[in-house]
Amino acid sequence: MKKLFTLIVCLLAYGASFAQNSGKISGKVSNEKNEDIAYVYIKLLNFPDTSLVKGMETDVNGGFVFEQVKPGDYILSVSLMGHKNARTAKFTVGNSTVQLPVIRLESTVKLLKEVVVENKKNFVEHRIDKTVLNVESSIMSTGNSALELLEKAPGVTIDRQNDQILLNNKSGITVMIDGKNNFLSGPDLHAFLNNLSSSQIATIEIITNPSAKYDASGNAGIINIKLKRNKTFGTNGSISSNYRNAIKSDLPKNIYGTEFNFNLNHREAKWNFYTNANASKNNNFSNLLLNRTTASNGLMTTFDQNFNKIYTGSRLAGKLGADYFVNEKTTIGMMLDASTSTRKLDNFTQTFIGEVKNGNSSRHSLVQNSDANTPNQNYTINLNLKHELKKEGASLNFDVDYSGFDYKGLENFDAKFFSASNVLDSNRILKNDSKTGIDIYAVKGDLTLPISKTLNFEAGLKSSYVKTDNDFLASRLRNANWENIPGQSNQFIYKESIHAAYLNLSKDWGKWQVQVGLRAEYTDATGTSVTNATIAANDYLSLFPTVFLGQKISDKHQINYSYGRRIDRPNYQQLNPFNFYMDPYTIQQGNPYLKPQFTNNFGISYIYNNGISLSLNYSKTTDMILDSKTAQNDTTRIVTVGQGNIGSGQNYTANLYFPVKLAKWWNIQSNFNLYFNKFNDDNIAGAPFQLQKVAYSFNIGSTVVLPDNWTIETSFWLNSPKVRGLERTTIYQYALNMGLQKSILAKKLKFRLNIDDIFATNYWKGTLLYQNVNLKVQNNYISRRAVFGVSYNFGNQSIKSARNRNTATDDIKNRAGGN
């Protein structure tokens, strides 16, 4: 391992020896009316041989900037459907910025008087290596949380029963914010994404098979949420606000959400300052229905449970950052990101217990009132240094990070047991008091080194250290005094170090492109139960190769092949061995002996004319982490929910993406997924286990551009019944959404109205059947709501300047546990 680190360090130093200057090219594209044209593709060509150097799209205001351009003679080629192709005159690039005259495109068609055509990015955009949700340009994203936006993404399923995000029915997604993980998992990750508003998000990237440059965690891939950040000289920003309300009868009062968001950016010659502030309130409601049966010693018992949960929460978040441009090649940056939130849950549960023995039946009940208050704070500090080496396209990037999380939780349970005649038999009063602190330190360095125009080399190092301290105290009220509950209280300390190194090499032969990479990660983890005086330690070295092969058959036909190995480490809460009380008959238990799961991913995709695509993927996961420790004690009738490793899980997926332009003003995108899942193990709870099923999903989106800056968006998605481990989804889930937008004041002021799940068809129903466990579940959550939003952009919105960057905390954040 030391030799590998030494090799990378030498390579990083070697890159600094190259010497070659570069310049920049900036300009703007407009039409005959001098109106800016957004998202036009521009090619930078060598002169006189017109070979391609690089390409890019114009921004929302028609502007573009080519950076790190080698000195020499060039021309630009600009093309847009419905317009004549345009080429600039020859120009020369030196060591400074070349400002080109405005490039005007001439229309080749007559625009219909009743329709104004606008070049607008679709909400879902398929690229060769990823799927992108263009949140900023979508009407229907207004008032949505990040979690609700993901539910509209092709192939993504939100599992609200188990607080998981599935991609092609695979769990193990790594969630990143601006290239850095948020360290949360399970309920805490869902709560975070529920609080993260669409008004703060620019795009969401879904990467199913990342390269070796990315952290190896996440067997299903990476979801990278890019937050908004202005990129213009001068002072500019945006203000937005929205209000949303649930549309459902018989709801509790005050089930609504409000939000205010403010962005400000100031850029001058040497400095760029940026800030963001967000305040939100989000109230929600869900109704959960459970039915299960037990049988023991001639006694048949049926549990019918009804949970009514009311969530109320608020969040304040802020980001403050600055970049200092030391010179044209070196930039130093610092960023502080912090948030505080409070969330309260009021849960009323009614359980009817029916018993039959020797032909005699009886029925009694349990009523439980519970509440939970969970305030939390998190903060991240990032220091960044980026240096562009003298060789064109070569750069060094360093990050140092600290992230801290503080969670507190106070839960109260008041359970009353009633006889068949509705007489109070007994009363059980409990409380859980928890505190969790998480400290994360990380440092990384990355080198990008073009060896030639067609050969590129990348390498990097990263180290991270995490400490999680979870103190959980369970108490019960007895004789007016609180006393500790043995076996349910625990202090758990988890420490983990991960040291990583990677190499990437890519080569372009014209018709063929290849990228090979290797990532090595050494993990050293220790979990200590202070209360039980037990220690579980694990250390291992893992290698993660990646291979990507592109075959360009012709200008319109491309085939891509890929392979990658990934890992999913247990999150900190899954490893905590305490028993978590949910109700008198349900307990959740951690497993300190969970092993990481490893996945091999294989894929092949065909792309026609940079639009239509068909992909086939296969993955096999070993030591798969599932709820395999879920068991029912038929004597006590208590269900214990716990996770364990099973033998393997296999996933076969076929995806078809088909965009259609019905008219200049009407675009439709269709995405269809077909997948087959198979789970098996030789021995779960004393018996072999195997479950498999074919399932499918599809998404259809439509955008219609109307006169006078009106736009209509419509989308529909559907997920078929499927299986996931021991769990079976037994219904079709689907939703129809619609949005309307009006822009005024040169499109700086926008009004948006949208309705999600118009017919209220999005809910979940399923079963868990194995051995003596027979559980049926229906989860009715608020999905139909109306949202009204207003946004206003101010200041200079045209010239690109500020940079986006990742930080060192890239592989840990979505695994942190809290309560």
Side-chain angles (χ1 to χ4, degrees):
M1 191 70 183
K2 290 182 179 179
K3 291 181 179 179
L4 183 58
F5 272 71
T6 302
L7 173 63
I8 302 299
V9 171
C10 292
L11 290 168
L12 294 174
Y14 173 68
S17 65
F18 287 88
Q20 196 167 6
N21 295 324
S22 63
K24 296 182 181 181
I25 306 166
S26 66
K28 179 180 281 193
V29 178
S30 67
N31 58 20
E32 304 106 308
K33 299 179 181 179
N34 291 326
E35 297 171 335
D36 301 336
I37 306 180
Y39 312 124
V40 180
Y41 191 72
I42 304 176
K43 296 178 182 178
L44 176 63
L45 307 177
N46 282 308
F47 186 85
D49 64 5
T50 67
S51 59
L52 178 65
V53 179
K54 61 178 74 174
M56 70 176 299
E57 289 182 342
T58 59
D59 59 26
V60 293
N61 298 290
F64 63 88
V65 176
F66 286 98
E67 300 186 20
Q68 300 177 4
V69 179
K70 181 181 177 181
D73 294 334
Y74 299 92
I75 61 171
L76 293 182
S77 174
V78 186
S79 60
L80 177 66
M81 183 177 293
H83 295 75
K84 292 182 179 180
N85 294 337
R87 282 195 176 188
T88 66
K90 183 196 78 172
F91 56 89
T92 301
V93 175
N95 300 325
S96 58
T97 299
V98 176
Q99 179 67 49
L100 296 177
V102 174
I103 303 171
R104 289 186 172 85
L105 297 183
E106 182 182 348
S107 176
T108 59
V109 296
K110 261 189 173 179
L111 294 180
L112 299 176
K113 288 185 178 180
E114 60 271 17
V115 176
V116 178
V117 179
E118 180 179 312
N119 190 23
K120 179 178 179 293
K121 279 194 174 183
N122 293 316
F123 174 61
V124 179
E125 181 183 356
H126 286 261
R127 300 180 185 174
I128 292 176
D129 58 340
K130 69 186 77 172
T131 298
V132 179
L133 304 184
N134 293 302
V135 177
E136 203 167 11
S137 63
S138 171
I139 301 168
M140 290 183 296
S141 67
T142 302
N144 279 199
S145 68
L147 198 66
E148 292 160 344
L149 289 172
L150 288 172
E151 193 167 38
K152 300 175 182 178
V156 176
T157 303
I158 305 302
D159 181 357
R160 289 181 169 84
Q161 289 63 246
N162 302 302
D163 294 313
Q164 288 186 332
I165 301 173
L166 307 179
L167 180 59
N168 296 327
N169 206 31
K170 293 166 57 181
S171 64
I173 284 286
T174 295
V175 177
M176 308 170 76
I177 307 295
D178 283 335
K180 58 182 183 295
N181 272 304
N182 63 4
F183 295 86
L184 302 178
S185 61
D188 298 311
L189 177 59
H190 273 227
F192 174 82
L193 294 176
N194 260 324
N195 284 323
L196 184 60
S197 169
S198 61
S199 63
Q200 298 173 266
I201 301 172
T203 60
I204 298 177
E205 298 177 339
I206 302 172
I207 308 170
T208 55
N209 202 0
S211 72
K213 184 176 182 177
Y214 291 92
D215 301 292
S217 59
N219 86 83
I222 291 174
I223 292 177
N224 184 28
I225 300 174
K226 290 189 172 182
L227 302 182
K228 290 181 181 178
R229 180 167 166 193
N230 287 303
K231 300 180 179 182
T232 56
F233 281 102
T235 301
N236 52 79
S238 64
I239 301 173
S240 64
S241 182
N242 65 70
Y243 174 84
R244 69 178 189 175
N245 203 75
I247 306 174
K248 186 176 175 66
S249 60
D250 303 324
L251 275 179
K253 294 181 179 179
N254 301 321
I255 303 301
Y256 69 96
T258 60
E259 186 215 358
F260 174 81
N261 191 72
F262 174 73
N263 285 286
L264 182 66
N265 188 86
H266 178 74
R267 170 80 190 266
E268 52 190 42
K270 286 285 188 179
W271 287 93
N272 181 70
F273 301 95
Y274 56 94
T275 186
N276 168 263
N278 179 270
S280 62
K281 183 176 180 62
N282 185 22
N283 299 342
N284 216 327
F285 172 80
S286 70
N287 170 246
L288 182 66
L289 304 174
L290 279 80
N291 174 274
R292 69 181 176 95
T293 59
T294 68
S296 178
N297 298 322
L299 175 64
M300 177 70 72
T301 306
T302 301
F303 291 83
D304 284 306
Q305 295 183 281
N306 188 334
F307 298 79
N308 287 305
K309 301 180 180 182
I310 301 174
Y311 304 88
T312 56
S314 60
R315 180 176 184 260
L316 295 173
K319 177 186 289 188
L320 181 65
D323 294 321
Y324 176 65
F325 302 90
V326 180
N327 50 47
E328 287 189 356
K329 296 185 178 299
T330 305
T331 306
I332 300 173
M334 179 177 179
M335 182 187 69
L336 172 64
D337 194 350
S339 69
T340 179
S341 63
T342 59
R343 194 172 191 237
K344 183 179 180 182
L345 167 64
D346 292 296
N347 185 9
F348 174 76
T349 306
Q350 191 168 25
T351 304
F352 293 100
I353 306 171
E355 298 177 340
V356 178
K357 187 171 185 178
N358 298 327
N360 299 314
S361 62
S362 63
R363 184 176 174 87
H364 51 282
S365 62
L366 161 67
V367 174
Q368 177 174 277
N369 283 285
S370 63
D371 62 77
N373 288 280
T374 54
N376 65 78
Q377 295 82 38
N378 66 74
Y379 30 87
T380 297
I381 299 174
N382 167 253
L383 297 174
N384 172 267
L385 171 65
K386 181 176 182 180
H387 178 68
E388 297 176 6
L389 302 176
K390 292 183 179 180
K391 183 174 179 62
E392 179 189 356
S395 66
L396 282 168
N397 198 86
F398 296 97
D399 283 278
V400 179
D401 285 76
Y402 168 75
S403 293
F405 295 78
D406 291 312
Y407 294 89
K408 294 181 180 178
L410 179 61
E411 298 172 287
N412 298 290
F413 304 89
D414 185 353
K416 294 181 172 65
F417 297 82
F418 293 89
S419 66
S421 56
N422 205 31
V423 175
L424 180 64
D425 282 340
S426 61
N427 188 193
R428 181 186 298 176
I429 299 177
L430 309 173
K431 71 175 180 180
N432 294 334
D433 193 354
S434 63
K435 296 178 182 179
T436 301
I438 304 174
D439 293 293
I440 303 163
Y441 304 86
V443 59
K444 72 169 184 174
D446 297 285
L447 166 70
T448 300
L449 181 62
I451 298 174
S452 69
K453 288 185 178 181
T454 60
L455 183 63
N456 192 63
F457 176 77
E458 292 178 309
L461 295 170
K462 179 179 177 182
S463 288
S464 64
Y465 170 76
V466 180
K467 179 182 177 182
T468 302
D469 189 343
N470 178 271
D471 193 358
F472 187 88
L473 178 64
S475 307
R476 61 188 168 204
L477 187 64
R478 179 175 290 180
N479 299 324
N481 293 313
W482 289 102
E483 61 180 34
N484 182 46
I485 302 177
Q488 292 189 24
S489 298
N490 184 41
Q491 183 182 7
F492 181 68
I493 298 175
Y494 182 83
K495 298 178 181 179
E496 178 186 84
S497 298
I498 301 177
H499 305 290
Y502 75 87
L503 301 170
N504 251 344
L505 190 67
S506 58
K507 172 68 176 175
D508 188 344
W509 283 283
K511 292 290 184 180
W512 289 89
Q513 306 88 40
V514 64
Q515 181 188 109
V516 293
L518 180 64
R519 187 178 186 91
E521 292 189 353
Y522 173 73
T523 305
D524 186 3
T526 303
T528 303
S529 173
V530 178
T531 305
N532 299 332
T534 58
I535 297 177
N538 194 11
D539 69 290
Y540 47 93
L541 173 65
S542 304
L543 298 178
F544 303 96
T546 56
V547 179
F548 300 91
L549 185 64
Q551 181 185 5
K552 187 176 182 180
I553 301 173
S554 67
D555 289 340
K556 291 187 176 182
H557 302 275
Q558 171 91 18
I559 298 179
N560 298 315
Y561 312 84
S562 65
Y563 164 75
R565 188 171 188 252
R566 309 285 293 168
I567 185 176
D568 275 294
R569 301 174 180 89
N571 66 57
Y572 314 124
Q573 198 63 15
Q574 290 172 324
L575 295 168
N576 195 338
F578 78 95
N579 293 325
F580 179 72
Y581 173 92
M582 302 175 71
D583 66 48
Y585 293 99
T586 311
I587 292 174
Q588 189 171 17
Q589 187 178 58
N591 180 3
Y593 302 104
L594 271 178
K595 297 183 293 184
Q597 64 180 31
F598 291 89
T599 302
N600 288 290
N601 294 310
F602 302 85
I604 179 174
S605 62
Y606 164 74
I607 301 169
Y608 173 72
N609 203 24
N610 290 322
I612 299 173
S613 66
L614 173 65
S615 62
L616 303 173
N617 298 278
Y618 168 76
S619 67
K620 183 175 182 179
T621 301
T622 56
D623 290 324
M624 195 168 197
I625 300 174
L626 289 174
D627 289 334
S628 58
K629 295 293 184 182
T630 298
Q632 178 174 274
N633 187 318
D634 286 335
T635 302
T636 63
R637 299 178 293 189
I638 293 176
V639 169
T640 301
V641 180
Q643 293 194 317
N645 298 100
I646 72 166
S648 66
Q650 298 180 68
N651 175 277
Y652 300 80
T653 303
N655 172 270
L656 174 64
Y657 171 65
F658 197 90
V660 178
K661 192 177 186 69
L662 296 180
K664 298 180 184 300
W665 44 271
W666 189 3
N667 290 313
I668 291 180
Q669 296 181 93
S670 302
N671 196 92
F672 182 81
N673 288 280
L674 178 68
Y675 43 82
F676 171 72
N677 287 101
K678 181 179 180 180
F679 307 91
N680 61 275
D681 192 277
D682 294 334
N683 184 2
I684 295 182
F689 168 76
Q690 182 170 318
L691 187 62
Q692 60 189 41
K693 188 176 179 63
V694 175
Y696 59 89
S697 66
F698 65 83
N699 298 64
I700 299 176
S702 168
T703 302
V704 177
V705 180
L706 299 174
D708 299 322
N709 293 323
W710 285 93
T711 308
I712 297 175
E713 288 183 359
T714 308
S715 72
F716 177 81
W717 61 265
L718 178 144
N719 295 325
S720 76
K722 57 182 178 291
V723 298
R724 173 68 192 163
L726 304 179
E727 182 182 278
R728 298 169 170 88
T729 300
T730 57
I731 63 168
Y732 287 87
Q733 293 178 272
Y734 55 97
L736 176 66
N737 314 296
M738 183 172 289
L740 177 69
Q741 174 181 283
K742 169 65 175 176
S743 301
I744 61 174
L745 300 180
K747 300 182 181 179
K748 289 186 175 182
L749 180 61
K750 296 179 180 180
F751 300 92
R752 291 175 171 177
L753 175 66
N754 62 279
I755 300 178
D756 289 335
D757 193 14
I758 294 174
F759 298 108
T761 52
N762 181 15
Y763 67 99
W764 188 86
K765 192 173 184 179
T767 63
L768 195 154
L769 303 172
Y770 183 71
Q771 302 273 53
N772 63 336
V773 178
N774 185 351
L775 176 65
K776 299 177 182 178
V777 184
Q778 180 171 321
N779 192 353
N780 305 298
Y781 36 82
I782 297 299
S783 57
R784 182 169 61 183
R785 54 192 165 264
V787 184
F788 177 73
V790 181
S791 65
Y792 178 71
N793 295 328
F794 60 87
N796 180 19
Q797 301 284 328
S798 58
I799 305 174
K800 179 178 177 182
S801 67
R803 64 194 181 115
N804 285 323
R805 64 176 187 264
N806 299 340
T807 71
T809 49
D810 284 346
D811 70 328
I812 319 161
K813 266 187 159 182
N814 70 317
R815 296 176 46 238
N819 298 298

